[in-house]
């Protein structure tokens, strides 16, 4: 973890973890992040928030912006950690808010990648049923970031065995960013817990 800096201590910082499509704050990676932060020393522990994003992209972004706006110190450093669709959201939010973002097997073009999921879907954790409609794809297109403006604010983690998304598209989209590309694995990102210290260092550095 980083030490004191002009922008404030680690304890002043907020990290927002954004889960993926059909996922929730109860996901394996979200819970691993919460456990890792909980054991940090209190004076060096950032605030980690894991919101339930729901299924509508526009509502998801609005809820995160409201969460960020409500934090006690709006000058404190802010970072996002996003998995899959959450990585797409994290990129939009990082660009809009000037924040850092760590991205785990992120979606780059979810308005294309999620086309096979049009229709009724089920949340893998809550069991909630919801419908993916054309409006969802329109909202996703509205969040597109054609090119990241400051690559140094991003940390990309991908596994080449991702069976859902093309890891090469992520490597190209986040060219110039810090990148950890690992062979094998899958979309869930095997061995994620081993990468949490690096993610937290990045999220709290600067």
């Amino acid at each position: 973890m980083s030490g004191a800096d002009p922008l404030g201590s680690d304890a002043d910082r907020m990290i927002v973890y954004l889960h993926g499509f059909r996922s929730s704050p109860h996901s394996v990676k979200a819970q691993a992040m919460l456990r890792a932060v909980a054991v940090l020393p209190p004076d060096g522990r950032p605030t980690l928030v894991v919101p339930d994003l729901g299924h509508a992209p526009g509502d998801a972004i609005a809820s995160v912006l409201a969460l960020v706006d409500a934090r006690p110190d709006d000058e404190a450093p802010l970072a996002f950690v996003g998995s899959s669709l959450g990585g797409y959201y994290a990129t939009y939010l990082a660009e809009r808010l000037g924040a850092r973002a760590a991205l785990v097997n992120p979606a780059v073009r979810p308005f294309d990648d999620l086309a096979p999921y049009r229709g009724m879907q089920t949340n893998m954790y809550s069991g909630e049923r919801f419908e993916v409609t054309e409006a969802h794809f329109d909202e996703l297109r509205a969040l597109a970031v054609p090119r990241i403006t400051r690559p140094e604010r991003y940390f990309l983690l991908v596994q080449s065995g991702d069976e859902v998304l093309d890891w090469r598209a992520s490597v190209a989209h986040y060219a110039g960013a810090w990148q950890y590309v690992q062979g094998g694995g899958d979309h869930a990102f095997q061995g994620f817990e081993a990468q949490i210290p690096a993610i937290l260092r990045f999220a709290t550095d600067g």
Side-chain angles (χ1 to χ4, degrees), residues 22-174:
R22 299 190 305 173
S23 190
S24 87
H26 298 290
S27 72
V28 173
K29 290 192 287 294
Q31 291 299 306
M33 287 285 298
L34 287 167
R35 289 193 301 271
V37 170
V39 299
L40 294 174
D43 61 349
R45 183 186 302 151
T47 298
L48 174 63
V49 184
V50 186
D52 189 342
L53 299 175
H55 58 270
D59 290 345
I61 294 297
S63 67
V64 176
L65 289 173
L67 175 70
V68 169
D69 287 344
R71 59 191 170 136
D73 182 359
D74 60 6
E75 297 296 323
L78 172 69
F80 296 95
V81 179
S83 173
S84 192
L85 180 58
Y88 184 75
Y89 292 159
T91 302
Y92 170 83
L93 290 162
E95 290 291 322
R96 176 165 174 168
L97 301 174
R100 288 191 159 216
L103 315 165
V104 183
N105 282 341
V108 173
R109 296 178 60 85
F111 37 86
D112 293 332
D113 298 325
L114 293 178
Y117 296 90
R118 192 187 308 269
M120 295 304 300
Q121 298 294 328
T122 302
N123 185 286
M124 295 182 292
Y125 292 88
S126 69
E128 177 191 4
R129 296 277 290 167
F130 63 94
E131 185 177 6
V132 177
T133 68
E134 190 57 39
H136 288 79
F137 296 104
D138 290 341
E139 291 174 12
L140 287 171
R141 291 186 190 95
L143 301 174
V145 175
R147 182 171 183 160
I148 56 174
T149 57
R150 291 179 56 192
E152 69 275 10
R153 292 189 310 201
Y154 294 90
F155 178 24
L156 174 69
L157 300 94
V158 294
Q159 290 185 330
S160 66
D162 188 337
E163 74 283 7
V164 177
L165 301 172
D166 184 352
W167 64 275
R168 292 164 296 191
S170 294
V171 167
H173 188 66
Y174 296 98

